Amino acid sequence: MDATGVAARATDLWKVYGSGEAQVIALRGVNVELERGRFTAVMGPSGSGKSTLMHCLAGLDSVTRGRVCIGDTEVTGLGDAGLTRLRRDKVGFVFQQFNLLPTLTAAENILLPLAIAGRKPDRQWYDTVIDTVGLRDRLGHRPAQLSGGQQQRVACARAMVARPDVIFADEPTGNLDSRSGAEVLAFLRRSVRDYGQTVVMVTHDPNAASQADRVIFLEDGQIVDEMRDPTPEAVLDRLKGLDASAAAPDAAATTNAGGSDRRC
Ligand code: ADP
């Protein structure tokens, strides 16, 4: 993590899929800084580039042009081995589909990334994480024996236990009922507030986004707006404006945070 309080940064980030007539420009020069110890939500219409941005930031997808830094590591400069280390040591993931291994218990799932990395868990931190997500009495259960909300809490604990620089969450409440979704959001929020975790979350849900400190709005591969201390109503209003202006993308002013700084 660098001294400027930036956990992750994208600079003039472009992502182009395919070529010729099949070409899709998913990201068009995105500049953004994600502050350390903050909860940032990424919103925008379907197809606006939210998942692509998150995958490029997390080193899960290559970029066409531009730079991505996580802490002081330039992700876009890494080879395969470096990317594997980055994904193992510096980032945590929470996916809509939970992505737990069905044959492992909750505890084994939570500890798996550390086991693969050959790292011993910090026992005290492990206990804190387990108590924070409220899974103490479910640790010996397999995913099929857990509710969706409990499975997602296992996934959150798995992401957090390695103390990553950034947790990336892709629609983490997308498969959950509203109560379980609220629990997962409360946990993510608490990991930021109480433990200084950095969380970046893609969501369609204004209620989920309102849990964040800051919402970034994407449209047609560009950041077109952002909001601090969001409320569900304000987020919903802004989204309506985006959908209405989708036919005229040039009308949207780019208020990209960050800039031309080339340092990580
Ligand atoms: P969002 O997450 O906002 O719905 P995505 O990042 O998934 O948007 O997609 C942005 C654009 O890139 C869309 O037009 C989508 O069809 C396109 N896209 C995403 N992934 C691929 C891919 N692997 N190949 C080709 N086009 C893709």
Side-chain angles (χ1 to χ4, degrees), residues 15 17-18 22 24-27 43-53 55 61 170 202 204 218:
K15 178 68 184 180
Y17 291 109
V24 176
I25 304 178
L27 298 176
M43 298 200 86
S46 187
S48 59
K50 302 180 296 293
S51 297
T52 303
L53 175 60
H55 290 164
D61 205 349
D170 195 353
V202 168
H204 278 101
L218 272 181

Side-chain angles (χ1 to χ4, degrees), residues 196-211:
Q197 180 64 58
T198 305
V199 176
V200 179
M201 171 178 74
V202 168
T203 182
H204 278 101
D205 176 2
N207 283 311
S210 70
Q211 297 292 313

Side-chain angles (χ1 to χ4, degrees), residues 238-255:
R238 190 64 191 91
L239 283 177
K240 282 183 194 153
L242 283 189
D243 284 329
S245 68
D250 289 340
T254 48
T255 58

